[in-house]
Amino acid sequence: MRYNLLRFDNLPSTNTYLKENSENLPDMTAVTADFQTNGRGRMGNTWIADRGCLALSLLIKRSIKPTGLTLLCAVATARAIKQLCGEAVGIKWTNDIILADCKVCGILCEGKLYGDNSGYEYIICGIGLNVNQSREFFVNSSLPNAASLYTITGRKYDKEQAARLILDNISELLECDGEYVLKEYISLCITLGKRVRLIQNGNEIFARAVSVDNDGALICENDSGGLFRVTAGEVKLRAENGDYI
Ligand code: BTN
């Protein structure tokens, strides 16, 4: 399954570009911008990045559940990082990519439902991979728990190669069974088996993350042994140094 890659020097946001042009662009249109002036993150956050970051978005126009696609993109990105620099990353539920206890990639999937709610007209997967930013960038941006492939491995990488590896892996995984993708996701998910801090609607609770179900929900166990599903909100994970990331 091939994709068509459009490359820009700068855009407000690659996700916004695809959203605004979704009617005229076909399935599997990908777009990169060397720099975003208004990069967007999850939960309404701003995605702070300089030209060291790969900003990549992919337009999907086919019947697929957004939750499944979110997990698939995380697996594809983890595979691509391994192929690019040899590092084995972990996935923090749902879709933060973690290397050496730092976030190196965030993923924002956004969809538009048909008017009659019968399915999705499109889904846009936006991937922000910290490739070549310097340590100073993260310090100056007050991002103590973020890092780039460069700060971790000491080597710089070609952002277009990174984009193509991610897109090749997404294309390959889209041909696979959902169960196969979920199995690989679970094997990469570093949240599982850990004590997590859940922040939902301003409330904070602690629990143990147990599994991820077919719908991509995180199954947690409370201190009394009761199981519950987490589908949204922030899930923080305790790192080696005791910080919650
Ligand atoms: C997160 O909050 O972790 C998700 C960040 C997603 C950032 C990427 S960069 C490419 C695409 N364009 C955007 O505006 N956001 C996503």
Side-chain angles (χ1 to χ4, degrees), residues 12-17 31 33 36 38-49 53-57 95-97 103 105-110 124-129:
S13 148
T14 51
N15 267 34
T16 307
Y17 175 86
V31 53
Q36 295 184 120
N38 192 18
R40 296 183 294 105
R42 287 178 62 234
M43 293 180 279
N45 293 327
T46 300
W47 177 253
I48 301 166
C53 176
L54 167 67
L56 167 70
S57 299
N95 51 14
D96 285 346
I97 307 287
K103 176 166 169 171
C105 176
I107 300 176
L108 173 67
C109 289
E110 305 178 285
I124 294 162
C125 301
I127 298 168
L129 174 60

PDB file of all heavy atoms in Angstrom, residues 12-17 31 33 36 38-49 53-57 95-97 103 105-110 124-129, ligand 1:
ATOM      1  N   PRO A  12       1.822  25.840   9.398  1.00  0.00           N
ATOM      2  CA  PRO A  12       1.356  26.003  10.789  1.00  0.00           C
ATOM      3  C   PRO A  12       1.384  24.647  11.514  1.00  0.00           C
ATOM      4  O   PRO A  12       1.949  24.504  12.581  1.00  0.00           O
ATOM      5  CB  PRO A  12      -0.060  26.546  10.630  1.00  0.00           C
ATOM      6  CG  PRO A  12      -0.044  27.247   9.293  1.00  0.00           C
ATOM      7  CD  PRO A  12       0.895  26.434   8.420  1.00  0.00           C
ATOM      8  N   SER A  13       0.767  23.650  10.885  1.00  0.00           N
ATOM      9  CA  SER A  13       0.728  22.300  11.472  1.00  0.00           C
ATOM     10  C   SER A  13       0.419  21.310  10.344  1.00  0.00           C
ATOM     11  O   SER A  13      -0.476  21.563   9.530  1.00  0.00           O
ATOM     12  CB  SER A  13      -0.368  22.235  12.548  1.00  0.00           C
ATOM     13  OG  SER A  13      -0.946  20.962  12.625  1.00  0.00           O
ATOM     14  N   THR A  14       1.162  20.213  10.307  1.00  0.00           N
ATOM     15  CA  THR A  14       0.916  19.229   9.238  1.00  0.00           C
ATOM     16  C   THR A  14      -0.467  18.585   9.409  1.00  0.00           C
ATOM     17  O   THR A  14      -1.130  18.264   8.422  1.00  0.00           O
ATOM     18  CB  THR A  14       2.020  18.153   9.235  1.00  0.00           C
ATOM     19  OG1 THR A  14       2.177  17.626  10.557  1.00  0.00           O
ATOM     20  CG2 THR A  14       3.343  18.717   8.753  1.00  0.00           C
ATOM     21  N   ASN A  15      -0.912  18.401  10.663  1.00  0.00           N
ATOM     22  CA  ASN A  15      -2.273  17.854  10.877  1.00  0.00           C
ATOM     23  C   ASN A  15      -3.319  18.824  10.341  1.00  0.00           C
ATOM     24  O   ASN A  15      -4.265  18.430   9.658  1.00  0.00           O
ATOM     25  CB  ASN A  15      -2.532  17.631  12.381  1.00  0.00           C
ATOM     26  CG  ASN A  15      -2.202  16.229  12.821  1.00  0.00           C
ATOM     27  OD1 ASN A  15      -1.276  15.613  12.298  1.00  0.00           O
ATOM     28  ND2 ASN A  15      -2.922  15.717  13.814  1.00  0.00           N
ATOM     29  N   THR A  16      -3.131  20.118  10.641  1.00  0.00           N
ATOM     30  CA  THR A  16      -4.105  21.115  10.196  1.00  0.00           C
ATOM     31  C   THR A  16      -4.123  21.192   8.667  1.00  0.00           C
ATOM     32  O   THR A  16      -5.188  21.303   8.056  1.00  0.00           O
ATOM     33  CB  THR A  16      -3.756  22.501  10.803  1.00  0.00           C
ATOM     34  OG1 THR A  16      -3.632  22.345  12.214  1.00  0.00           O
ATOM     35  CG2 THR A  16      -4.809  23.536  10.485  1.00  0.00           C
ATOM     36  N   TYR A  17      -2.956  21.079   8.049  1.00  0.00           N
ATOM     37  CA  TYR A  17      -2.889  21.124   6.576  1.00  0.00           C
ATOM     38  C   TYR A  17      -3.764  20.010   5.974  1.00  0.00           C
ATOM     39  O   TYR A  17      -4.550  20.237   5.055  1.00  0.00           O
ATOM     40  CB  TYR A  17      -1.437  20.975   6.099  1.00  0.00           C
ATOM     41  CG  TYR A  17      -1.333  20.895   4.593  1.00  0.00           C
ATOM     42  CD1 TYR A  17      -1.265  22.054   3.817  1.00  0.00           C
ATOM     43  CD2 TYR A  17      -1.361  19.660   3.940  1.00  0.00           C
ATOM     44  CE1 TYR A  17      -1.220  21.977   2.434  1.00  0.00           C
ATOM     45  CE2 TYR A  17      -1.320  19.583   2.555  1.00  0.00           C
ATOM     46  CZ  TYR A  17      -1.239  20.738   1.814  1.00  0.00           C
ATOM     47  OH  TYR A  17      -1.212  20.674   0.444  1.00  0.00           O
ATOM     48  N   VAL A  31       2.299  14.207   4.716  1.00  0.00           N
ATOM     49  CA  VAL A  31       2.891  15.539   4.585  1.00  0.00           C
ATOM     50  C   VAL A  31       3.918  15.750   5.698  1.00  0.00           C
ATOM     51  O   VAL A  31       3.710  15.321   6.835  1.00  0.00           O
ATOM     52  CB  VAL A  31       1.786  16.629   4.558  1.00  0.00           C
ATOM     53  CG1 VAL A  31       0.843  16.526   5.713  1.00  0.00           C
ATOM     54  CG2 VAL A  31       2.367  18.028   4.512  1.00  0.00           C
ATOM     55  N   ALA A  33       6.645  18.834   7.341  1.00  0.00           N
ATOM     56  CA  ALA A  33       7.075  20.237   7.338  1.00  0.00           C
ATOM     57  C   ALA A  33       8.373  20.272   8.122  1.00  0.00           C
ATOM     58  O   ALA A  33       8.466  19.677   9.204  1.00  0.00           O
ATOM     59  CB  ALA A  33       6.034  21.122   8.001  1.00  0.00           C
ATOM     60  N   GLN A  36       7.164  23.695  12.062  1.00  0.00           N
ATOM     61  CA  GLN A  36       5.755  24.044  12.252  1.00  0.00           C
ATOM     62  C   GLN A  36       5.656  25.299  13.110  1.00  0.00           C
ATOM     63  O   GLN A  36       6.343  25.405  14.139  1.00  0.00           O
ATOM     64  CB  GLN A  36       5.005  22.925  12.962  1.00  0.00           C
ATOM     65  CG  GLN A  36       4.910  21.629  12.186  1.00  0.00           C
ATOM     66  CD  GLN A  36       4.064  20.602  12.918  1.00  0.00           C
ATOM     67  OE1 GLN A  36       3.060  20.151  12.419  1.00  0.00           O
ATOM     68  NE2 GLN A  36       4.492  20.231  14.108  1.00  0.00           N
ATOM     69  N   ASN A  38       2.716  26.292  14.387  1.00  0.00           N
ATOM     70  CA  ASN A  38       1.620  26.102  15.353  1.00  0.00           C
ATOM     71  C   ASN A  38       1.356  24.613  15.543  1.00  0.00           C
ATOM     72  O   ASN A  38       0.244  24.138  15.349  1.00  0.00           O
ATOM     73  CB  ASN A  38       0.368  26.832  14.825  1.00  0.00           C
ATOM     74  CG  ASN A  38      -0.705  26.940  15.866  1.00  0.00           C
ATOM     75  OD1 ASN A  38      -0.439  26.791  17.061  1.00  0.00           O
ATOM     76  ND2 ASN A  38      -1.940  27.167  15.432  1.00  0.00           N
ATOM     77  N   GLY A  39       2.421  23.884  15.902  1.00  0.00           N
ATOM     78  CA  GLY A  39       2.298  22.440  16.087  1.00  0.00           C
ATOM     79  C   GLY A  39       1.371  22.134  17.250  1.00  0.00           C
ATOM     80  O   GLY A  39       1.425  22.795  18.291  1.00  0.00           O
ATOM     81  N   ARG A  40       0.516  21.155  17.056  1.00  0.00           N
ATOM     82  CA  ARG A  40      -0.471  20.832  18.090  1.00  0.00           C
ATOM     83  C   ARG A  40      -0.206  19.473  18.717  1.00  0.00           C
ATOM     84  O   ARG A  40       0.193  18.529  18.035  1.00  0.00           O
ATOM     85  CB  ARG A  40      -1.879  20.864  17.484  1.00  0.00           C
ATOM     86  CG  ARG A  40      -2.258  22.256  17.011  1.00  0.00           C
ATOM     87  CD  ARG A  40      -3.660  22.344  16.481  1.00  0.00           C
ATOM     88  NE  ARG A  40      -3.865  21.588  15.265  1.00  0.00           N
ATOM     89  CZ  ARG A  40      -4.518  20.440  15.205  1.00  0.00           C
ATOM     90  NH1 ARG A  40      -5.034  19.891  16.291  1.00  0.00           N
ATOM     91  NH2 ARG A  40      -4.672  19.821  14.059  1.00  0.00           N
ATOM     92  N   GLY A  41      -0.420  19.395  20.024  1.00  0.00           N
ATOM     93  CA  GLY A  41      -0.236  18.137  20.738  1.00  0.00           C
ATOM     94  C   GLY A  41      -1.556  17.625  21.279  1.00  0.00           C
ATOM     95  O   GLY A  41      -2.616  18.197  21.013  1.00  0.00           O
ATOM     96  N   ARG A  42      -1.495  16.559  22.045  1.00  0.00           N
ATOM     97  CA  ARG A  42      -2.701  15.976  22.629  1.00  0.00           C
ATOM     98  C   ARG A  42      -3.253  16.887  23.716  1.00  0.00           C
ATOM     99  O   ARG A  42      -2.540  17.699  24.283  1.00  0.00           O
ATOM    100  CB  ARG A  42      -2.387  14.596  23.215  1.00  0.00           C
ATOM    101  CG  ARG A  42      -2.174  13.537  22.136  1.00  0.00           C
ATOM    102  CD  ARG A  42      -1.812  12.193  22.740  1.00  0.00           C
ATOM    103  NE  ARG A  42      -2.869  11.685  23.571  1.00  0.00           N
ATOM    104  CZ  ARG A  42      -2.701  11.303  24.843  1.00  0.00           C
ATOM    105  NH1 ARG A  42      -1.538  11.379  25.425  1.00  0.00           N
ATOM    106  NH2 ARG A  42      -3.720  10.827  25.527  1.00  0.00           N
ATOM    107  N   MET A  43      -4.528  16.708  23.990  1.00  0.00           N
ATOM    108  CA  MET A  43      -5.236  17.426  25.043  1.00  0.00           C
ATOM    109  C   MET A  43      -5.091  18.949  24.930  1.00  0.00           C
ATOM    110  O   MET A  43      -4.918  19.647  25.933  1.00  0.00           O
ATOM    111  CB  MET A  43      -4.773  16.916  26.416  1.00  0.00           C
ATOM    112  CG  MET A  43      -5.217  15.472  26.642  1.00  0.00           C
ATOM    113  SD  MET A  43      -4.741  14.760  28.195  1.00  0.00           S
ATOM    114  CE  MET A  43      -3.074  14.309  27.865  1.00  0.00           C
ATOM    115  N   GLY A  44      -5.066  19.422  23.692  1.00  0.00           N
ATOM    116  CA  GLY A  44      -5.026  20.870  23.460  1.00  0.00           C
ATOM    117  C   GLY A  44      -3.668  21.509  23.703  1.00  0.00           C
ATOM    118  O   GLY A  44      -3.542  22.739  23.667  1.00  0.00           O
ATOM    119  N   ASN A  45      -2.646  20.694  23.955  1.00  0.00           N
ATOM    120  CA  ASN A  45      -1.315  21.261  24.207  1.00  0.00           C
ATOM    121  C   ASN A  45      -0.664  21.735  22.918  1.00  0.00           C
ATOM    122  O   ASN A  45      -1.001  21.282  21.832  1.00  0.00           O
ATOM    123  CB  ASN A  45      -0.394  20.201  24.838  1.00  0.00           C
ATOM    124  CG  ASN A  45      -0.854  19.832  26.227  1.00  0.00           C
ATOM    125  OD1 ASN A  45      -1.380  20.671  26.949  1.00  0.00           O
ATOM    126  ND2 ASN A  45      -0.683  18.576  26.599  1.00  0.00           N
ATOM    127  N   THR A  46       0.311  22.633  23.073  1.00  0.00           N
ATOM    128  CA  THR A  46       1.130  23.048  21.932  1.00  0.00           C
ATOM    129  C   THR A  46       2.271  22.049  21.808  1.00  0.00           C
ATOM    130  O   THR A  46       2.820  21.608  22.823  1.00  0.00           O
ATOM    131  CB  THR A  46       1.723  24.451  22.213  1.00  0.00           C
ATOM    132  OG1 THR A  46       0.632  25.351  22.402  1.00  0.00           O
ATOM    133  CG2 THR A  46       2.575  24.941  21.060  1.00  0.00           C
ATOM    134  N   TRP A  47       2.612  21.686  20.577  1.00  0.00           N
ATOM    135  CA  TRP A  47       3.772  20.804  20.364  1.00  0.00           C
ATOM    136  C   TRP A  47       4.973  21.710  20.081  1.00  0.00           C
ATOM    137  O   TRP A  47       5.047  22.363  19.037  1.00  0.00           O
ATOM    138  CB  TRP A  47       3.511  19.846  19.204  1.00  0.00           C
ATOM    139  CG  TRP A  47       4.672  18.953  18.874  1.00  0.00           C
ATOM    140  CD1 TRP A  47       5.490  19.058  17.782  1.00  0.00           C
ATOM    141  CD2 TRP A  47       5.149  17.828  19.622  1.00  0.00           C
ATOM    142  NE1 TRP A  47       6.443  18.058  17.809  1.00  0.00           N
ATOM    143  CE2 TRP A  47       6.257  17.288  18.931  1.00  0.00           C
ATOM    144  CE3 TRP A  47       4.757  17.223  20.818  1.00  0.00           C
ATOM    145  CZ2 TRP A  47       6.966  16.178  19.392  1.00  0.00           C
ATOM    146  CZ3 TRP A  47       5.464  16.115  21.263  1.00  0.00           C
ATOM    147  CH2 TRP A  47       6.549  15.609  20.559  1.00  0.00           C
ATOM    148  N   ILE A  48       5.875  21.761  21.042  1.00  0.00           N
ATOM    149  CA  ILE A  48       7.017  22.677  20.928  1.00  0.00           C
ATOM    150  C   ILE A  48       8.161  21.954  20.220  1.00  0.00           C
ATOM    151  O   ILE A  48       8.590  20.883  20.660  1.00  0.00           O
ATOM    152  CB  ILE A  48       7.492  23.133  22.333  1.00  0.00           C
ATOM    153  CG1 ILE A  48       6.337  23.828  23.065  1.00  0.00           C
ATOM    154  CG2 ILE A  48       8.689  24.070  22.241  1.00  0.00           C
ATOM    155  CD1 ILE A  48       6.586  24.016  24.545  1.00  0.00           C
ATOM    156  N   ALA A  49       8.632  22.530  19.113  1.00  0.00           N
ATOM    157  CA  ALA A  49       9.708  21.866  18.376  1.00  0.00           C
ATOM    158  C   ALA A  49      10.454  22.877  17.508  1.00  0.00           C
ATOM    159  O   ALA A  49       9.901  23.916  17.139  1.00  0.00           O
ATOM    160  CB  ALA A  49       9.136  20.772  17.483  1.00  0.00           C
ATOM    161  N   CYS A  53      13.033  18.547  14.698  1.00  0.00           N
ATOM    162  CA  CYS A  53      11.915  17.595  14.856  1.00  0.00           C
ATOM    163  C   CYS A  53      11.335  17.191  13.501  1.00  0.00           C
ATOM    164  O   CYS A  53      11.182  18.022  12.611  1.00  0.00           O
ATOM    165  CB  CYS A  53      10.826  18.266  15.697  1.00  0.00           C
ATOM    166  SG  CYS A  53       9.335  17.273  15.892  1.00  0.00           S
ATOM    167  N   LEU A  54      11.008  15.931  13.361  1.00  0.00           N
ATOM    168  CA  LEU A  54      10.258  15.475  12.185  1.00  0.00           C
ATOM    169  C   LEU A  54       8.771  15.667  12.480  1.00  0.00           C
ATOM    170  O   LEU A  54       8.249  15.077  13.429  1.00  0.00           O
ATOM    171  CB  LEU A  54      10.528  13.988  11.913  1.00  0.00           C
ATOM    172  CG  LEU A  54       9.557  13.337  10.912  1.00  0.00           C
ATOM    173  CD1 LEU A  54       9.746  13.909   9.509  1.00  0.00           C
ATOM    174  CD2 LEU A  54       9.726  11.819  10.903  1.00  0.00           C
ATOM    175  N   ALA A  55       8.116  16.512  11.671  1.00  0.00           N
ATOM    176  CA  ALA A  55       6.664  16.691  11.782  1.00  0.00           C
ATOM    177  C   ALA A  55       6.039  15.996  10.578  1.00  0.00           C
ATOM    178  O   ALA A  55       6.240  16.412   9.436  1.00  0.00           O
ATOM    179  CB  ALA A  55       6.309  18.169  11.794  1.00  0.00           C
ATOM    180  N   LEU A  56       5.308  14.937  10.853  1.00  0.00           N
ATOM    181  CA  LEU A  56       4.757  14.089   9.798  1.00  0.00           C
ATOM    182  C   LEU A  56       3.289  13.805  10.075  1.00  0.00           C
ATOM    183  O   LEU A  56       2.933  13.482  11.213  1.00  0.00           O
ATOM    184  CB  LEU A  56       5.539  12.753   9.790  1.00  0.00           C
ATOM    185  CG  LEU A  56       4.975  11.585   8.991  1.00  0.00           C
ATOM    186  CD1 LEU A  56       5.072  11.851   7.486  1.00  0.00           C
ATOM    187  CD2 LEU A  56       5.733  10.286   9.317  1.00  0.00           C
ATOM    188  N   SER A  57       2.460  13.942   9.057  1.00  0.00           N
ATOM    189  CA  SER A  57       1.046  13.563   9.211  1.00  0.00           C
ATOM    190  C   SER A  57       0.616  12.722   8.022  1.00  0.00           C
ATOM    191  O   SER A  57       1.102  12.912   6.904  1.00  0.00           O
ATOM    192  CB  SER A  57       0.142  14.797   9.300  1.00  0.00           C
ATOM    193  OG  SER A  57       0.483  15.573  10.424  1.00  0.00           O
ATOM    194  N   ASN A  95       0.343   6.460  23.287  1.00  0.00           N
ATOM    195  CA  ASN A  95       1.208   6.544  22.116  1.00  0.00           C
ATOM    196  C   ASN A  95       2.399   7.491  22.252  1.00  0.00           C
ATOM    197  O   ASN A  95       2.782   8.140  21.294  1.00  0.00           O
ATOM    198  CB  ASN A  95       0.387   6.885  20.865  1.00  0.00           C
ATOM    199  CG  ASN A  95      -0.488   8.088  21.096  1.00  0.00           C
ATOM    200  OD1 ASN A  95      -0.282   8.790  22.069  1.00  0.00           O
ATOM    201  ND2 ASN A  95      -1.431   8.323  20.237  1.00  0.00           N
ATOM    202  N   ASP A  96       2.972   7.558  23.445  1.00  0.00           N
ATOM    203  CA  ASP A  96       4.242   8.281  23.580  1.00  0.00           C
ATOM    204  C   ASP A  96       5.364   7.270  23.400  1.00  0.00           C
ATOM    205  O   ASP A  96       5.315   6.171  23.971  1.00  0.00           O
ATOM    206  CB  ASP A  96       4.392   8.902  24.980  1.00  0.00           C
ATOM    207  CG  ASP A  96       3.517  10.127  25.158  1.00  0.00           C
ATOM    208  OD1 ASP A  96       2.999  10.645  24.142  1.00  0.00           O
ATOM    209  OD2 ASP A  96       3.351  10.557  26.308  1.00  0.00           O
ATOM    210  N   ILE A  97       6.366   7.651  22.631  1.00  0.00           N
ATOM    211  CA  ILE A  97       7.496   6.744  22.425  1.00  0.00           C
ATOM    212  C   ILE A  97       8.613   7.177  23.378  1.00  0.00           C
ATOM    213  O   ILE A  97       9.012   8.345  23.400  1.00  0.00           O
ATOM    214  CB  ILE A  97       7.997   6.794  20.967  1.00  0.00           C
ATOM    215  CG1 ILE A  97       6.832   6.545  19.985  1.00  0.00           C
ATOM    216  CG2 ILE A  97       9.125   5.800  20.754  1.00  0.00           C
ATOM    217  CD1 ILE A  97       6.312   5.147  19.908  1.00  0.00           C
ATOM    218  N   LYS A 103      10.670  11.142  26.572  1.00  0.00           N
ATOM    219  CA  LYS A 103       9.761  11.093  25.416  1.00  0.00           C
ATOM    220  C   LYS A 103      10.508  11.568  24.183  1.00  0.00           C
ATOM    221  O   LYS A 103      11.029  12.683  24.164  1.00  0.00           O
ATOM    222  CB  LYS A 103       8.551  11.986  25.697  1.00  0.00           C
ATOM    223  CG  LYS A 103       7.568  12.106  24.549  1.00  0.00           C
ATOM    224  CD  LYS A 103       6.259  12.714  25.043  1.00  0.00           C
ATOM    225  CE  LYS A 103       5.339  13.108  23.902  1.00  0.00           C
ATOM    226  NZ  LYS A 103       4.003  13.506  24.363  1.00  0.00           N
ATOM    227  N   CYS A 105       8.945  10.949  21.053  1.00  0.00           N
ATOM    228  CA  CYS A 105       7.938  11.082  19.995  1.00  0.00           C
ATOM    229  C   CYS A 105       6.538  11.138  20.596  1.00  0.00           C
ATOM    230  O   CYS A 105       6.248  10.414  21.553  1.00  0.00           O
ATOM    231  CB  CYS A 105       8.057   9.874  19.057  1.00  0.00           C
ATOM    232  SG  CYS A 105       6.813   9.814  17.773  1.00  0.00           S
ATOM    233  N   GLY A 106       5.715  12.004  20.022  1.00  0.00           N
ATOM    234  CA  GLY A 106       4.302  12.061  20.414  1.00  0.00           C
ATOM    235  C   GLY A 106       3.442  11.889  19.179  1.00  0.00           C
ATOM    236  O   GLY A 106       3.848  12.249  18.071  1.00  0.00           O
ATOM    237  N   ILE A 107       2.266  11.324  19.380  1.00  0.00           N
ATOM    238  CA  ILE A 107       1.383  11.037  18.245  1.00  0.00           C
ATOM    239  C   ILE A 107      -0.006  11.609  18.533  1.00  0.00           C
ATOM    240  O   ILE A 107      -0.558  11.400  19.621  1.00  0.00           O
ATOM    241  CB  ILE A 107       1.287   9.511  17.995  1.00  0.00           C
ATOM    242  CG1 ILE A 107       2.690   8.948  17.697  1.00  0.00           C
ATOM    243  CG2 ILE A 107       0.328   9.193  16.845  1.00  0.00           C
ATOM    244  CD1 ILE A 107       2.763   7.439  17.529  1.00  0.00           C
ATOM    245  N   LEU A 108      -0.536  12.337  17.567  1.00  0.00           N
ATOM    246  CA  LEU A 108      -1.869  12.924  17.709  1.00  0.00           C
ATOM    247  C   LEU A 108      -2.737  12.452  16.546  1.00  0.00           C
ATOM    248  O   LEU A 108      -2.496  12.827  15.403  1.00  0.00           O
ATOM    249  CB  LEU A 108      -1.755  14.460  17.687  1.00  0.00           C
ATOM    250  CG  LEU A 108      -3.061  15.254  17.653  1.00  0.00           C
ATOM    251  CD1 LEU A 108      -3.836  15.085  18.964  1.00  0.00           C
ATOM    252  CD2 LEU A 108      -2.776  16.736  17.405  1.00  0.00           C
ATOM    253  N   CYS A 109      -3.724  11.584  16.848  1.00  0.00           N
ATOM    254  CA  CYS A 109      -4.638  11.118  15.801  1.00  0.00           C
ATOM    255  C   CYS A 109      -5.961  11.869  15.941  1.00  0.00           C
ATOM    256  O   CYS A 109      -6.524  11.945  17.040  1.00  0.00           O
ATOM    257  CB  CYS A 109      -4.891   9.614  15.929  1.00  0.00           C
ATOM    258  SG  CYS A 109      -3.455   8.638  15.462  1.00  0.00           S
ATOM    259  N   GLU A 110      -6.436  12.412  14.829  1.00  0.00           N
ATOM    260  CA  GLU A 110      -7.670  13.182  14.851  1.00  0.00           C
ATOM    261  C   GLU A 110      -8.555  12.706  13.713  1.00  0.00           C
ATOM    262  O   GLU A 110      -8.062  12.509  12.594  1.00  0.00           O
ATOM    263  CB  GLU A 110      -7.385  14.668  14.636  1.00  0.00           C
ATOM    264  CG  GLU A 110      -6.381  15.245  15.619  1.00  0.00           C
ATOM    265  CD  GLU A 110      -6.088  16.709  15.332  1.00  0.00           C
ATOM    266  OE1 GLU A 110      -5.368  17.010  14.356  1.00  0.00           O
ATOM    267  OE2 GLU A 110      -6.590  17.546  16.086  1.00  0.00           O
ATOM    268  N   ILE A 124      -6.547  11.538  10.666  1.00  0.00           N
ATOM    269  CA  ILE A 124      -5.202  12.073  10.416  1.00  0.00           C
ATOM    270  C   ILE A 124      -4.303  11.637  11.570  1.00  0.00           C
ATOM    271  O   ILE A 124      -4.627  11.839  12.740  1.00  0.00           O
ATOM    272  CB  ILE A 124      -5.235  13.614  10.323  1.00  0.00           C
ATOM    273  CG1 ILE A 124      -6.038  14.029   9.084  1.00  0.00           C
ATOM    274  CG2 ILE A 124      -3.820  14.197  10.281  1.00  0.00           C
ATOM    275  CD1 ILE A 124      -6.500  15.459   9.101  1.00  0.00           C
ATOM    276  N   CYS A 125      -3.189  11.004  11.217  1.00  0.00           N
ATOM    277  CA  CYS A 125      -2.227  10.582  12.240  1.00  0.00           C
ATOM    278  C   CYS A 125      -1.053  11.543  12.182  1.00  0.00           C
ATOM    279  O   CYS A 125      -0.360  11.601  11.156  1.00  0.00           O
ATOM    280  CB  CYS A 125      -1.702   9.181  11.956  1.00  0.00           C
ATOM    281  SG  CYS A 125      -3.006   7.996  11.914  1.00  0.00           S
ATOM    282  N   GLY A 126      -0.842  12.281  13.233  1.00  0.00           N
ATOM    283  CA  GLY A 126       0.261  13.245  13.280  1.00  0.00           C
ATOM    284  C   GLY A 126       1.355  12.731  14.199  1.00  0.00           C
ATOM    285  O   GLY A 126       1.103  12.361  15.348  1.00  0.00           O
ATOM    286  N   ILE A 127       2.556  12.685  13.686  1.00  0.00           N
ATOM    287  CA  ILE A 127       3.674  12.115  14.436  1.00  0.00           C
ATOM    288  C   ILE A 127       4.773  13.165  14.570  1.00  0.00           C
ATOM    289  O   ILE A 127       5.241  13.709  13.566  1.00  0.00           O
ATOM    290  CB  ILE A 127       4.204  10.861  13.699  1.00  0.00           C
ATOM    291  CG1 ILE A 127       3.087   9.803  13.643  1.00  0.00           C
ATOM    292  CG2 ILE A 127       5.454  10.300  14.391  1.00  0.00           C
ATOM    293  CD1 ILE A 127       3.364   8.646  12.727  1.00  0.00           C
ATOM    294  N   GLY A 128       5.134  13.472  15.792  1.00  0.00           N
ATOM    295  CA  GLY A 128       6.228  14.417  16.038  1.00  0.00           C
ATOM    296  C   GLY A 128       7.392  13.640  16.629  1.00  0.00           C
ATOM    297  O   GLY A 128       7.340  13.220  17.791  1.00  0.00           O
ATOM    298  N   LEU A 129       8.419  13.407  15.813  1.00  0.00           N
ATOM    299  CA  LEU A 129       9.568  12.614  16.278  1.00  0.00           C
ATOM    300  C   LEU A 129      10.761  13.544  16.495  1.00  0.00           C
ATOM    301  O   LEU A 129      11.193  14.243  15.571  1.00  0.00           O
ATOM    302  CB  LEU A 129       9.897  11.527  15.244  1.00  0.00           C
ATOM    303  CG  LEU A 129      11.160  10.691  15.502  1.00  0.00           C
ATOM    304  CD1 LEU A 129      11.070   9.932  16.835  1.00  0.00           C
ATOM    305  CD2 LEU A 129      11.383   9.687  14.360  1.00  0.00           C
TER     306      LEU A 129
HETATM  307  C1  BTN B   1       1.561  14.749  21.825  1.00  0.00           C
HETATM  308  O1  BTN B   1       0.992  15.645  22.467  1.00  0.00           O
HETATM  309  O2  BTN B   1       2.333  13.964  22.369  1.00  0.00           O
HETATM  310  C2  BTN B   1       1.302  14.586  20.363  1.00  0.00           C
HETATM  311  C3  BTN B   1       2.179  15.481  19.549  1.00  0.00           C
HETATM  312  C4  BTN B   1       1.953  15.355  18.056  1.00  0.00           C
HETATM  313  C5  BTN B   1       2.805  16.330  17.276  1.00  0.00           C
HETATM  314  C6  BTN B   1       2.728  16.092  15.814  1.00  0.00           C
HETATM  315  S1  BTN B   1       3.956  16.961  14.900  1.00  0.00           S
HETATM  316  C7  BTN B   1       3.160  16.520  13.412  1.00  0.00           C
HETATM  317  C8  BTN B   1       1.681  16.686  13.652  1.00  0.00           C
HETATM  318  N1  BTN B   1       1.287  18.059  13.452  1.00  0.00           N
HETATM  319  C9  BTN B   1       0.848  18.635  14.576  1.00  0.00           C
HETATM  320  O3  BTN B   1       0.449  19.806  14.685  1.00  0.00           O
HETATM  321  N2  BTN B   1       0.903  17.741  15.585  1.00  0.00           N
HETATM  322  C10 BTN B   1       1.405  16.465  15.145  1.00  0.00           C
END
